[in-house]
Amino acid sequence: MSEPMSRPMPMETDAFEPVGEAHSPFMTVFLALVRDRFALTGLILVGVLLVVSIIAPWIVPQNPYDLAELDILDGRLPPGSKSFTGMIFILGTDDQGRDLFSAILYGLRTSLVVGASSAAIALVLGAAAGLISAYAGGRTDAVIMRIVDMQLSFPAILIALILLAILGQGIDKIILALVVTQWAYYARTVRGSALVERRRSYVDAVICLALPKSRIIFSHILPNCLPPLIVVATMRLAYAIMLEATLSFLGIGLPVTEPSLGLLISNGFEYLLSGDYWISLFPGLALLVLVVGINLIGDGLRDILNPRHQG
C-alpha cells in the first residue's frame, strides 16, 4: 500500500510582526511635504511666522495698537536706537514712533487672520456652489457658472475697491470684500472636479441606494474633489494676504489704529528717498517671506496631489 500523502505544514507566523505602518491621508501628505526641501522650507517659514505672531503680546516691547504707548519724539528712529525711556528699537520706528518689530508681529497676526478667514469662508461658499452646479446641471449650472464668469471677468482688486468704498474700513468689511472676490475661483475648481466624479460608477451606485442628495454631494463627491481644492485654497490664501496688503497700502483697508503689513509699508513709502528705508523695508520683507512660504507649500501640494506627478 502506498503511504498517504502528507499535508504541507502551515507556515508559522509571528503574531507580533509588524505588517507595515499605515498613515492617514493628511499624515501621508504631510510626510511627503517634509521630504520636499522646498515645501519644507515653506513650512518652516510659515510655521515660524505663525508662532511669533501668536505669542507677539508676550515677546514685543510695545503694543502698537495702544496710542498711549506711542511717543512722537521717537518717530523715524533707525534700527538699534534707544528711546528716552531706555527701550531699544531693534528694527527702528515709523513716523508715529511705533516700534517696527512690535508692529510687524501684530501686523502678521492681522494679515493671517484676515487672509485665513476670508479664504476659509470663500472656500465653503465656492465649494458648495460648485458642487450644486455640477450635480444639478441644466439651468442651475448655467446660472451659477454665468455668475462666476461675470465676476471673474473683472479684476479682483477693482471689486474690492468698490465694496470697501461703499462699506468703509474695518476687519469685517475687508474680509467680506475678499470673500466676494475669491469664492468664484473655488466654485469653478470644484465644479470641474465634481463633473468628473459625477460620471463615475460609484456615484451611480449611491444614487441607486436612494440616499439624500446632500449626502451624495457632501459625503461621496466632495471628498474626491479635495486634492485640487486644497491646492487652490493654499494659493488663494497667499493672494488674499497680498490683496489685503494692497488695499491697506492704498489706505482703504484697515484703519490706522490696526496696522497691517500693507499699512506699515504705506507709512514708510514717502520716506524711502529720504534715507528712512527701514520703515517700509522690514514690513515688506515680512510680507515677502510669508507669501513665498505659502507659495512653496502650495507648489509642494500641487506636485503631491496631482496624479500625473505620482509614480
Side-chain angles (χ1 to χ4, degrees):
M1 296 180 60
S2 60
E3 297 182 359
M5 296 181 62
S6 60
R7 295 182 180 179
M9 297 296 293
M11 295 286 293
E12 293 186 0
T13 58
D14 187 0
F16 299 98
E17 182 180 359
V19 293
E21 188 177 1
H23 297 291
S24 65
F26 291 102
M27 181 58 67
T28 302
V29 172
F30 176 76
L31 293 176
L33 283 176
V34 172
R35 288 192 290 267
D36 186 337
R37 60 180 180 177
F38 293 107
L40 178 60
T41 302
L43 286 172
I44 294 174
L45 292 177
V46 175
V48 170
L49 293 179
L50 180 62
V51 170
V52 296
S53 64
I54 292 175
I55 64 175
W58 295 278
I59 63 175
V60 297
Q62 181 189 83
N63 182 1
Y65 294 159
D66 188 359
L67 299 180
E69 295 188 20
L70 305 183
D71 190 346
I72 195 65
L73 297 177
D74 293 330
R76 299 167 58 185
L77 294 179
S81 299
K82 182 181 294 187
S83 69
F84 294 103
T85 60
M87 181 188 303
I88 298 177
F89 303 113
I90 58 175
L91 297 182
T93 62
D94 63 4
D95 55 343
Q96 301 296 321
R98 184 184 290 114
D99 176 42
L100 275 181
F101 176 70
S102 306
I104 288 173
L105 294 192
Y106 273 84
L108 281 171
R109 301 178 77 189
T110 303
S111 297
L112 287 170
V113 168
V114 171
S117 301
S118 62
I121 298 173
L123 185 150
V124 173
L125 297 178
L131 287 170
I132 294 172
S133 177
Y135 189 83
R139 187 172 300 177
T140 302
D141 182 28
V143 171
I144 294 177
M145 294 317 297
R146 293 301 75 77
I147 295 174
V148 170
D149 293 338
M150 189 190 326
Q151 176 166 335
L152 294 180
S153 63
F154 294 96
I157 190 171
L158 177 61
I159 299 175
L161 285 171
I162 295 173
L163 289 174
L164 290 177
I166 298 173
L167 299 175
Q169 293 181 326
I171 290 183
D172 54 342
K173 311 293 193 311
I174 197 169
I175 288 177
L176 176 60
L178 294 177
V179 170
V180 172
T181 60
Q182 291 188 96
W183 74 272
Y185 295 94
Y186 298 103
R188 171 166 287 183
T189 300
V190 173
R191 176 184 178 269
S193 301
L195 283 176
V196 175
E197 299 299 326
R198 179 67 177 81
R199 301 186 184 98
R200 298 188 182 275
S201 57
Y202 78 89
V203 176
D204 296 331
V206 295
I207 291 177
C208 294
L209 296 176
L211 296 177
K213 291 183 179 180
S214 59
R215 183 175 177 183
I216 296 174
I217 294 174
F218 295 104
S219 298
H220 296 278
I221 297 179
L222 177 59
N224 294 289
C225 300
L226 286 180
L229 185 60
I230 292 174
V231 176
V232 172
T234 307
M235 297 299 185
R236 299 313 301 179
L237 171 60
Y239 181 80
I241 293 174
M242 286 293 296
L243 184 56
E244 181 275 322
T246 302
L247 295 171
S248 297
F249 180 85
L250 295 175
I252 60 173
L254 297 175
V256 294
T257 55
E258 299 177 0
S260 68
L261 294 179
L263 188 59
L264 294 174
I265 297 172
S266 176
N267 289 340
F269 180 74
E270 58 181 310
Y271 301 110
L272 282 177
L273 299 180
S274 64
D276 300 335
Y277 62 90
W278 60 87
I279 303 177
S280 289
L281 176 63
F282 294 124
L285 289 176
L287 179 62
L288 176 65
V289 171
L290 178 60
V291 172
V292 168
I294 295 175
N295 283 326
L296 288 176
I297 297 174
D299 290 339
L301 288 172
R302 181 193 59 195
D303 295 338
I304 294 168
L305 299 177
N306 189 349
R308 296 181 180 179
H309 291 80
Q310 297 175 1

